[in-house]
Amino acid sequence: MPTVRSAAEAHEKTPTVIFPGSAEAARALAAEVRQLIESRAREGRNAVLGLATGSTPVPFYRELIRLHREEKLSFKNVVTFNLDEYYGLPADHPESYARFMREQLFDSIDIPSDHINIPSGTIPSDQVFEHCRQYEEKIEAAGGIDFQILGIGRTGHIGFNEPGSSRDSLTRRITLDRVTRQDAAADFRGEENVPRFAITMGVGTILRAKKIVLMAWGENKAGVVARAVEGPVTEAVSASFLQDHDAARFFIDAGASRELTRVKLPWLVGPVSWTPAETRRAVVWQAMKTKHPVLKLVDEDYNEHGLSDLLSEQGPGYQLNIRIFNRLQHTITGWPGGKPDADDTFRPERAKPFPKRCLILSPEPQDAIVGMGGTLDRLVEQGHDVRLIALTSGSLRVPDSEADKFAATLSELGEAVKDPAGWKEQTEYAHEILRLLEEKGEFGEDPPLLRQLKGLILRGELRDAAHALGLGADRVHFLDLPFYEKGRYRRFVTTDDDLAALSNLLERHKPHQIYCTGDAADPSSVAGITFKLLDAVLERCEGQDWCGTCSLWSYRGREKPLEAHEIDMAVPMSPLQLERKVRSLSRYGSLSSLELNIADRNRQHAGDYDALGLAEYEAIEAFQRRSRV
Ligand code: GLP
């Protein structure tokens, strides 16, 4: 644990290490855990680990498995206590934490099964209290937890200690927060299927561990990480209690560090090298904070907000304001594919070639329309050769009710058609789907036939949504990347087949523009994984003609929206265009509440631009230029 903190870390009340990515952090953490296990083994003692579930620890568990397989690390002397379990789920349920742990770790290492402890999700209600008490006792009897691994939920929870959990809380049954249930909605194919209760170790249980590391990846966690690390210790963010522990640390990646003061407002913690990006960030931040449009910022504003060195380096203030104002102004364009025959010196996208081959990559079928439906609309209208590519089938998101609806209609058609005998195969198919739905029950895993049908349902919805934006069915393509077809949320594994499929796609289309998302997402999310694949493919393509001239624009879908200073291209939308986008989104049967409310985000971007003193639009879709190509 670092004892001397740099000035940059001064705001952080729990020591925080920022790694370039989750892989590096997972390796560092696994190395520490290995040391503990081996030193205990030498002493003939057990090492007691507190373990977490969710996507966050997956890279860490993969590294432990690698250490076991390749470097002979044994887990025979390891005892584990898991943080929590959904109440109501049997241990073999695909989303139970018991099953998650078996599949992600325990089945692949040599831990004795009687060393594994996970709260029971099926203990009868009247025995819950006693079960929880015994869990605490077992931890104590094992000598207490030596090393506790944590993730963090968007509500700031550790384990399932939702806001309101007290510092001294112990293992108990809790009610899940609405946000937590929304976050788990995709796993359970709909919020309504997410269990309402869970059994979790308490904050007090966790704080008794001798050593603690909380991991967090991706920008969506940035806000809650900053609140936990820099904010007050409060029951509203249970991870903030770690500030009171003398051996707790945060291991985070660059995305999750974005809201820490040393990253977000570096001028408040030390000298800054004023690159154009940092300058833009500082001026925009200051304008937002003082509620002054950029052109009305005065020298006192700069001085009072810790920006006097920026002023002395790049002032006078008024000229700096004009420079940044112009820079922001130049991000706005109604011509995302470039304006033909126009001077493009200050436009985000070049004029030539025109029309452009534009490839819009959508990790799951709905993402691109959520993130950039209005821009897609414009690209089509302006005559570009637009292709919308659904990278995965999205079948895991589709609720059973959609498949049921389709199969029921198909079966009824069998009775309605003139020649039912000629419809036999379809009727059998419908019955088979209905049977599979019945057989697997509410929470069972989808057999391949059902997954296929759900994928097809989404295909129809995407074609429909694209059509509402003027894009014909022949322009919508489905890649069905294998990692998704073979996997489940939070535990996907990619192979060379995924790379090959994506690489063939790019080779075939040789795009001038690629629109993508996921660069700031949790690396284990579908968007995060597909972005990583794209990055790898583009690296391989480097040197090819098309690749050298292809521009790469990143949009945000479900992830944290871009902030005004990060936007390189702002595509405004009129009220009518926004309405068209919303109407096109209504074609989807399985959108999350966040996706359904995407228009608010588009309005928020417009509000920010307005506040900065730029033109007032109804809504804006925002893009960031990716520098690779
Ligand atoms: C659940 C778990 C937590 C976990 C959180 C974040 O709520 N009970 O232990 O930290 O999810 O999940 P993820 O790592 O998938 O973001």
Side-chain angles (χ1 to χ4, degrees), residues 356-360 375-376 378-381 383-388 471-472 474-477:
K356 288 192 174 60
R357 287 191 296 273
C358 309
L359 221 51
I360 298 177
T375 304
L376 185 157
R378 279 198 187 239
L379 289 167
V380 175
E381 187 190 301
H384 296 284
D385 174 2
V386 179
R387 310 266 167 178
L388 173 56
L471 193 67
D474 58 328
R475 311 249 128 199
V476 183
H477 305 274

Side-chain angles (χ1 to χ4, degrees), residues 595-628:
E595 290 162 337
L596 283 168
N597 293 330
I598 201 71
D600 293 345
R601 283 194 175 193
N602 297 141
R603 288 201 189 92
Q604 184 58 50
H605 284 313
D608 289 350
Y609 266 49
D610 182 25
L612 291 168
L614 298 146
E616 186 181 348
Y617 295 102
E618 170 71 6
I620 282 178
E621 282 178 346
F623 299 85
Q624 213 170 16
R625 183 183 284 107
R626 297 289 315 182
S627 51
R628 170 172 291 293

Side-chain angles (χ1 to χ4, degrees), residues 52-57 83-84 97 151-153 157 159-160 180 221 490:
T53 48
S55 42
T56 307
L83 282 166
D84 46 14
Y97 286 166
I152 184 168
H157 69 217
F160 266 135
T180 303
K221 297 276 171 82
R490 300 178 202 255

Side-chain angles (χ1 to χ4, degrees), residues 189 395 400 403-404 429 432-434 436-437 440 444-457:
R189 292 182 302 274
S395 60
D400 288 348
D404 184 78
Y429 174 83
E432 177 63 2
I433 293 290
L434 292 170
L436 290 174
L437 283 169
K440 86 182 183 85
E445 231 164 336
D446 288 355
L449 196 71
L450 195 53
R451 262 185 97 159
Q452 184 199 39
L453 172 61
K454 289 184 170 183
L456 291 176
I457 290 172

